[in-house]
């Protein structure tokens, strides 16, 4: 039997067996560690892919920005996150926070304005990772009421070569610091976010262009259909407000004073439009070069600003209503603006995009040109009508009246040769009718040669307007006959009383007489003006309150005149209002 226990080399064999076992355990631990790290990496990559997919859904910009902020916060497991949008002046125009409770938001004095660490990322758009924001030399502290924050990770969002904004992450939920992997993930997400934001902006611009083309087509169609310019201005204001997502739209154009602009149209939300328009429509605004509206009107250059942050002259009517972002556009081509188009948003809303300036300016220019063409067309049509009326009046005067006058003269000479009294009276009646017809035609000639827009201050036009208005209530048109220098011989005060009396008499006739015909005669001559209104109605019953006639009599007495009333049951009524004439102020200008 062989003894081996005492062999001194036996322990060497045991060592040879244990050393590989140790190395194998280390290798297995390392493999498990690598597998765990790979698993975590795959999980984070999967989370990144899900985040990229989620921010790519939907093309509305505001919901997209909120979705990007929430996704970034969740991806790096941050307690708080925010997205700051950089404005055109290099400041922070919008700040979208995530992770704050409503009561925490209410305690914050104001949102960050792009100073300190946040401002550093705006000035130097490169990723920034800090162990504690308070230790950085650029740290300015937090606004009053802001919750404390320590660890920080910031990454810029780029759209091509332009920085759109920055993602800010603070305080991981597990209390650890942000790692290089967190920075890498956030940078990858920011790249995808830039593409998604650009797509959303392009989509919004496409929608706006479609809306602009549709609005331009509607305006052109409305103008060509003969709509009134005021109606078209309201349509322009409404469509511009909707296109720009504004709260208020105002169109101001030159007023009677060449140094002012008058608010012609005011458009806002349905629940506010009426109250706002009541206080603004017709308001007179200065257009001096040092005012906001004047600068745009005189230079023809649009301006985008915020009246709540920058003081501007001449826009107090907007600031009093809580307006902030404002876009002021010349209404018409730059070298000949017809006015200004003002689009405004509430103070707490984001500013207008600079990319909209060109589109909205083109819309305002096209609308103004279309309006000018429509007004030129209306002027041409009005001129054509006036020319026709003048031709008809000339033909009536040169042909019809002359023939009637010649016929009347012939009949007058024939009356003397008729022995039969009955025939003589009939011929004389025909002569009187011809004379009456000639006077009516002359009144018609004057009406044809008058323009309602130009001669509204003339007494004859005012009388004609009252008679035409009374036709609606009477159910038929009264016969009007005017004789003498009505417009030049009657002074303004007498004319005002005369028009009021005529309106009162026609109103009484319409309400009480039951007449089927009414004659209105106004004659001026022999130092007095006589208004005679007769009807074939039921007459004035006895004992009826004559308050209207008393008013008529008091007006006559005030001017030193008198009123006579002839009426009988079933015989109609004749009211004659007579006053002495005074020197008319219009005589001085003739």
């Amino acid at each position: 039997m062989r003894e081996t226990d005492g062999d001194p080399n036996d322990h060497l064999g045991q060592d040879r067996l244990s050393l590989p076992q140790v190395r194998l355990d280390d290798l297995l631990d390392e493999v498990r560690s690598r597998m765990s790290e790979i698993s975590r990496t795959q999980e984070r990559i999967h989370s990144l892919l899900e985040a990229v997919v989620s921010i790519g859904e939907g093309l509305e910009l505001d919901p997209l920005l909120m979705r990007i902020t929430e996704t970034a916060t969740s991806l790096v497991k941050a307690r708080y996150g925010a997205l700051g949008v950089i404005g055109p002046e290099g400041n922070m125009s919008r700040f979208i926070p995530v992770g704050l409770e409503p009561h925490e938001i209410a305690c914050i004095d104001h949102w960050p304005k792009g100073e300190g660490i946040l401002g550093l990322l705006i000035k130097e758009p490169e990723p920034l990772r800090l162990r504690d924001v308070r230790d950085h030399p650029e740290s300015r502290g937090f606004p009053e009421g802001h919750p404390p924050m320590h660890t920080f990770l910031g990454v810029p969002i780029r759209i091509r070569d332009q920085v759109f904004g920055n993602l800010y992450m603070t305080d991981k939920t597990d209390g650890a610091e942000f790692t290089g992997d967190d920075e890498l993930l956030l940078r990858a997400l920011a790249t995808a976010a830039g593409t998604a934001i650009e797509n959303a902006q392009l989509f919004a611009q496409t929608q706006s262009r479609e809306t602009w083309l549709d609005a331009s087509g509607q305006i052109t169609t409305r103008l060509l259909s003969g709509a009134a310019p005021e109606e078209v201005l309201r349509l322009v204001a409404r469509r511009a407000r909707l296109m720009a997502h504004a709260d208020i739209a105002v169109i101001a154009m030159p007023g009677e004073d060449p140094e002012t602009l008058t608010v012609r149209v005011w458009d806002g939300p349905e629940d506010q439009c009426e109250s706002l328009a009541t206080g603004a429509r017709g308001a007179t605004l200065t257009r001096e070069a040092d005012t906001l509206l004047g600068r745009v009107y005189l230079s023809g250059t649009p301006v985008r600003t915020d009246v709540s942050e920058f003081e501007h002259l001449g826009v107090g009517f907007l600031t009093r209503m809580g307006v902030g972002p404002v876009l002021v556009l010349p209404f018409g081509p730059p070298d000949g603006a017809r006015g200004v188009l003002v689009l405004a948003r509430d103070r707490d809303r984001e500013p207008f995009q600079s990319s909209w300036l060109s589109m909205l300016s083109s819309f305002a220019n096209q609308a103004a040109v279309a309006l000018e063409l429509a007004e030129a067309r209306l002027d041409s049509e009005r001129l054509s009508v006036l020319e026709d009326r003048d031709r008809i009046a000339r033909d009536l005067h040169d042909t019809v009246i002359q023939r009637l006058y010649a016929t009347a003269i012939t009949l007058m000479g024939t009356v003397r040769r008729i022995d039969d009294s009955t025939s003589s009276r009939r011929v004389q009646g025909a002569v009187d009718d011809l004379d009456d017809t000639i006077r009516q035609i002359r009144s018609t000639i004057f009406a044809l040669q008058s323009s309602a827009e130009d001669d509204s201050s003339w007494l004859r036009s005012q009388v004609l307007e009252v008679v035409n208005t009374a036709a609606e209530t009477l159910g038929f048109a009264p016969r009007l006959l005017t004789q003498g220098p009505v417009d030049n011989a009657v002074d303004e005060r007498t004319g005002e009383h005369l028009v009021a009396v005529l309106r009162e008499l026609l109103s009484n006739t319409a309400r009480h007489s039951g007449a089927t015909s009414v004659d209105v005669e106004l004659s001026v001559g022999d130092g007095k003006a006589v208004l005679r209104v007769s009807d074939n109605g039921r007459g004035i019953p006895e004992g009826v309150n004559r308050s209207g006639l008393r008013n008529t009599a008091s007006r006559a007495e005030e001017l030193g005149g008198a009123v006579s009333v002839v009426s009988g049951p079933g015989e109609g009524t004749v009211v004659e209002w007579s006053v002495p004439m005074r020197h008319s102020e219009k005589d001085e200008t003739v």
Side-chain angles (χ1 to χ4, degrees):
M1 185 172 180
R2 187 177 178 182
E3 296 180 359
T4 60
D5 295 340
D7 191 346
N9 296 321
D10 288 346
H11 69 281
L12 296 174
Q14 294 174 354
D15 291 340
R16 292 190 189 99
L17 293 173
S18 61
L19 286 174
Q21 183 67 36
V22 171
R23 292 193 186 98
L24 180 60
D25 290 341
D26 290 342
L27 288 173
L28 288 175
D29 288 342
E30 185 175 353
V31 168
R32 282 194 294 268
S33 175
R34 295 287 181 88
M35 291 295 292
S36 177
E37 184 177 348
I38 291 173
S39 177
R40 287 195 299 271
T41 302
Q42 287 181 334
E43 182 181 351
R44 303 199 76 176
I45 292 175
H46 182 69
S47 299
L48 175 61
L49 293 175
E50 286 185 344
V52 171
V53 171
S54 68
I55 65 174
E57 297 175 352
L59 290 173
E60 294 292 334
L61 185 59
D62 289 344
L64 174 62
L65 296 181
M66 176 59 73
R67 194 161 57 247
I68 290 172
T69 311
E70 293 173 342
T71 303
T73 305
S74 174
L75 182 64
V76 298
K77 295 180 172 56
R79 188 181 305 277
Y80 305 108
L83 192 158
V85 180
I86 301 176
E89 290 80 19
N91 57 349
M92 189 178 297
S93 62
R94 294 184 64 186
F95 190 78
I96 304 170
V98 169
L100 294 173
E101 298 296 332
H103 68 276
E104 293 178 312
I105 295 176
C107 293
I108 298 176
D109 183 49
H110 61 82
W111 289 123
K113 299 178 179 179
E115 302 173 350
I117 298 297
L118 305 189
L120 179 62
L121 268 173
I122 295 176
K123 292 182 291 185
E124 302 175 7
E126 297 294 336
L128 180 63
R129 183 159 45 95
L130 302 174
R131 177 179 297 176
D132 195 324
V133 293
R134 296 172 298 180
D135 297 336
H136 196 279
E138 291 286 338
S139 178
R140 304 287 177 83
F142 296 97
E144 185 177 349
H146 198 287
M149 297 179 182
H150 303 283
T151 57
F152 177 86
L153 175 60
V155 171
I157 298 177
R158 298 178 184 272
I159 298 178
R160 299 184 185 274
D161 296 331
Q162 184 178 3
V163 178
F164 173 80
N166 294 296
L167 283 171
Y168 308 111
M169 302 291 123
T170 59
D171 292 358
K172 296 196 69 168
T173 53
D174 57 4
E177 298 179 17
F178 290 103
T179 65
D181 289 341
D182 292 327
E183 180 181 327
L184 188 61
L185 287 172
L186 199 59
R187 289 174 61 184
L189 181 67
T191 301
T195 302
I197 293 172
E198 183 181 21
N199 291 337
Q201 290 178 336
L202 291 174
F203 177 73
Q205 291 175 11
T206 301
Q207 281 191 318
S208 297
R209 287 192 181 95
E210 291 179 357
T211 306
W212 168 53
L213 291 174
D214 179 61
S216 298
Q218 284 191 11
I219 291 168
T220 303
T221 302
R222 193 70 62 87
L223 287 171
L224 293 177
S225 64
E230 204 73 19
E231 179 185 347
V232 177
L233 285 177
R234 287 194 295 270
L235 178 61
V236 170
R238 172 64 56 86
R239 297 311 300 264
R241 181 177 68 85
L242 296 177
M243 278 194 297
H245 305 288
D247 296 308
I248 293 172
V250 178
I251 295 179
M253 305 180 75
E256 296 180 0
D257 184 351
E259 299 301 322
T260 63
L261 295 171
T262 300
V263 176
R264 293 278 299 276
V265 173
W266 179 281
D267 186 78
E270 293 296 335
D271 56 342
Q272 300 178 8
C273 185
E274 184 176 352
S275 60
L276 294 178
T278 301
R281 187 179 295 120
T284 301
L285 312 172
T286 179
R287 68 176 197 190
E288 296 291 336
D290 58 346
T291 64
L292 178 60
L293 302 187
R295 185 162 75 250
V296 174
Y297 177 77
L298 296 174
S299 68
T301 304
V303 171
R304 184 170 61 99
T305 184
D306 192 319
V307 296
S308 65
E309 296 182 3
F310 306 98
E311 185 175 351
H312 295 280
L313 297 176
V315 291
F317 72 104
L318 291 175
T319 55
R320 286 192 296 270
M321 297 177 182
V323 165
V326 167
L327 190 61
V328 185
L329 306 163
F331 191 64
D335 56 347
R338 295 168 55 87
V340 293
L341 169 62
V342 182
L343 300 170
R345 290 176 176 173
D346 291 339
R347 185 175 291 123
D348 57 350
R349 293 190 59 192
E350 69 278 3
F352 293 97
Q353 296 181 17
S354 57
S355 58
W356 289 359
L357 274 177
S358 176
M359 180 189 65
L360 290 171
S361 295
S362 298
F363 171 75
N365 291 344
Q366 182 175 348
V369 171
L371 184 65
E372 186 169 353
L373 292 175
E375 290 178 347
R377 177 180 58 81
L378 290 176
D379 289 340
S380 177
E381 292 177 354
R382 189 179 296 111
L383 179 61
S384 177
V385 170
L386 291 176
E387 289 176 347
D388 286 343
R389 292 171 63 178
D390 187 63
R391 177 183 56 79
I392 294 171
R394 187 171 58 251
D395 291 344
L396 287 174
H397 180 274
D398 296 344
T399 304
V400 178
I401 286 184
Q402 297 303 324
R403 290 186 177 182
L404 290 176
Y405 185 74
T407 302
I409 292 296
T410 301
L411 291 176
M412 284 292 295
T414 305
V415 168
R416 301 187 184 93
R417 301 177 183 179
I418 299 176
D419 297 330
D420 182 48
S421 60
T422 302
S423 299
S424 177
R425 284 195 301 273
R426 288 179 178 177
V427 174
Q428 184 63 49
V431 172
D432 294 340
D433 289 342
L434 286 173
D435 187 47
D436 185 53
T437 301
I438 290 172
R439 288 196 296 269
Q440 292 187 45
I441 292 176
R442 283 176 175 166
S443 296
T444 303
I445 290 173
F446 180 84
L448 287 171
Q449 292 177 332
S450 300
S451 171
E453 294 180 358
D454 299 332
D455 64 353
S456 58
S457 62
W458 296 101
L459 178 58
R460 197 186 302 258
S461 297
Q462 296 179 42
V463 170
L464 181 61
E465 181 181 356
V466 173
V467 171
N468 291 336
T469 302
E472 300 178 3
T473 54
L474 287 168
F476 55 88
R479 188 177 72 100
L480 173 63
L481 177 63
T482 59
Q483 299 182 72
V486 173
D487 292 319
N488 293 329
V490 180
D491 66 281
E492 183 175 352
R493 179 165 174 254
T494 302
E496 290 177 356
H497 282 287
L498 190 147
V499 171
V501 167
L502 176 59
R503 187 178 290 110
E504 176 74 23
L505 293 177
L506 290 177
S507 175
N508 289 341
T509 303
R511 286 181 296 166
H512 307 300
S513 71
T516 59
S517 69
V518 176
D519 293 336
V520 177
E521 299 177 30
L522 173 59
S523 61
V524 175
D526 298 331
K528 64 179 179 179
V530 179
L531 174 66
R532 189 170 184 272
V533 179
S534 58
D535 65 69
N536 64 347
R538 63 176 64 96
I540 304 176
E542 294 292 335
V544 173
N545 185 2
R546 299 191 178 189
S547 58
L549 291 177
R550 282 198 295 271
N551 294 336
T552 301
S554 65
R555 288 180 181 274
E557 292 171 0
E558 184 178 338
L559 298 173
V563 173
S564 67
V565 179
V566 178
S567 179
E571 298 178 0
T573 302
V574 178
V575 179
E576 187 173 283
W577 189 83
S578 176
V579 294
M581 287 190 303
R582 301 180 182 182
H583 181 63
S584 172
E585 295 178 0
K586 291 180 181 178
D587 291 338
E588 299 175 359
T589 61
V590 176

